[in-house]
Amino acid sequence: MKSQVFSLSAGIFLLHVFTNVYSNELNHLESIIDVCESCHGNKRISTNPAYPILAGQNKTYLVKQINMFRKGVRKHPFIKEALTDDTVESITKLADYFSNLKSDIEFLDVENSADAFTVLSAPENFEHELINVESVEKFIEKGESLYASCSGCHGLVGEGIEPYPKLSGQLPEYIRQQLTSFKNGVRMNTVMKMMTVNLNDKEIAALSLYIGSLSHKKGQTLTYVDTK
């Protein structure tokens, strides 16, 4: 009888321990998610061009980038601090969380050409070229032709081919910043350096806006407001 009582007590104790461990793990994961979403947007999309949209991003790519930040290969003090004590298992769960989210938009619908091109930080001598529908369409066509060399890894409509990232729907300014960082060697990637090193500012802006107009479900769409 005593042994049965002991076994029951031990079972209850172990259940309590496992429950607390699981609860603590969930709380730890939720706290990391909270940190992520403070910059990347609450469960949906980033509205700040300094940060990428994580919702729906390819899981393999997310795991790789999280580990690169954790190990200091990619530099960001807040991200590294949030992940210092993280485990491989919780990194996988974190990637699962964001990759399974659906963003509110599947593509960027640009409703005002002036806003769209101003945010790309275009050189002063070429902003005036982008104030009417005809010149904007030529600009986007240039971006589309440049994207042809990107589609082998990132997909025909920016859906991303594992382990490469999904690009469709990202904010154009974020894309521009990252392409510029690859070109200048701020972000280290041999292939991306090779792909960007010969692009000028205008070409990077055109490519960024085209990528921002992609949808992995709907091809691409872009609307214009003629500001003349």
Side-chain angles (χ1 to χ4, degrees):
M1 183 69 178
K2 288 183 178 180
S3 62
Q4 291 179 342
V5 172
F6 176 78
S7 297
L8 179 62
S9 300
I12 293 173
F13 174 75
L14 288 174
L15 178 62
H16 178 70
V17 169
F18 290 146
T19 301
N20 283 342
V21 169
Y22 180 70
S23 177
N24 289 338
E25 183 181 352
L26 285 179
N27 289 336
H28 179 54
L29 186 62
E30 288 174 1
S31 68
I32 297 173
I33 289 171
D34 287 342
V35 172
C36 296
E37 291 182 345
S38 65
C39 293
H40 292 282
N42 182 20
K43 296 184 180 180
R44 290 293 179 261
I45 61 170
S46 168
T47 56
N48 185 333
Y51 305 104
I53 296 168
L54 298 183
Q57 184 56 269
N58 292 334
K59 177 183 172 180
T60 304
Y61 177 74
L62 284 175
V63 170
K64 179 181 178 181
Q65 299 308 306
I66 292 170
N67 276 311
M68 287 176 72
F69 279 118
R70 191 169 70 92
K71 295 174 183 177
V73 178
R74 289 190 65 180
K75 306 294 184 182
H76 193 291
F78 300 132
I79 296 176
K80 184 174 176 59
E81 182 178 345
L83 298 170
T84 298
D85 297 323
D86 214 18
T87 65
V88 173
E89 185 178 358
S90 59
I91 286 174
T92 302
K93 290 179 180 178
L94 186 63
D96 272 333
Y97 172 80
F98 284 107
S99 64
N100 288 324
L101 283 177
K102 292 184 178 179
S103 62
D104 290 335
I105 56 172
E106 295 291 350
F107 58 91
L108 181 71
D109 187 16
V110 181
E111 296 181 350
N112 188 302
S113 60
D115 290 345
F117 297 113
T118 299
V119 77
L120 287 171
S121 305
E124 293 180 3
N125 62 348
F126 104 103
E127 187 176 347
H128 70 278
E129 299 174 17
L130 307 173
I131 59 174
N132 60 68
V133 171
E134 183 179 358
S135 61
V136 168
E137 287 177 341
K138 289 180 179 178
F139 188 72
I140 297 301
E141 286 175 7
K142 178 64 176 177
E144 183 175 11
S145 67
L146 290 168
Y147 183 76
S149 60
C150 308
S151 61
C153 294
H154 297 290
L156 292 175
V157 289
E159 71 275 21
I161 301 171
E162 292 280 12
Y164 304 105
K166 170 189 170 186
L167 300 181
S168 58
Q170 289 289 350
L171 298 175
E173 172 61 6
Y174 174 77
I175 296 293
R176 187 196 68 81
Q177 290 174 8
Q178 300 312 303
L179 291 175
T180 302
S181 293
F182 283 124
K183 176 181 177 177
N184 296 337
V186 176
R187 280 192 69 176
M188 302 300 294
N189 183 288
T190 302
V191 174
M192 288 304 301
K193 174 72 174 179
M194 180 178 66
M195 299 295 290
T196 56
V197 67
N198 293 319
L199 296 178
N200 60 39
D201 289 344
K202 192 181 289 191
E203 290 171 329
I204 286 177
L207 180 57
S208 300
L209 192 65
Y210 176 73
I211 289 172
S213 75
L214 289 173
S215 164
H216 71 280
K217 290 184 178 179
K218 303 178 182 178
Q220 84 245 12
T221 184
L222 198 65
T223 57
Y224 313 102
V225 173
D226 194 336
T227 56
K228 271 192 171 180

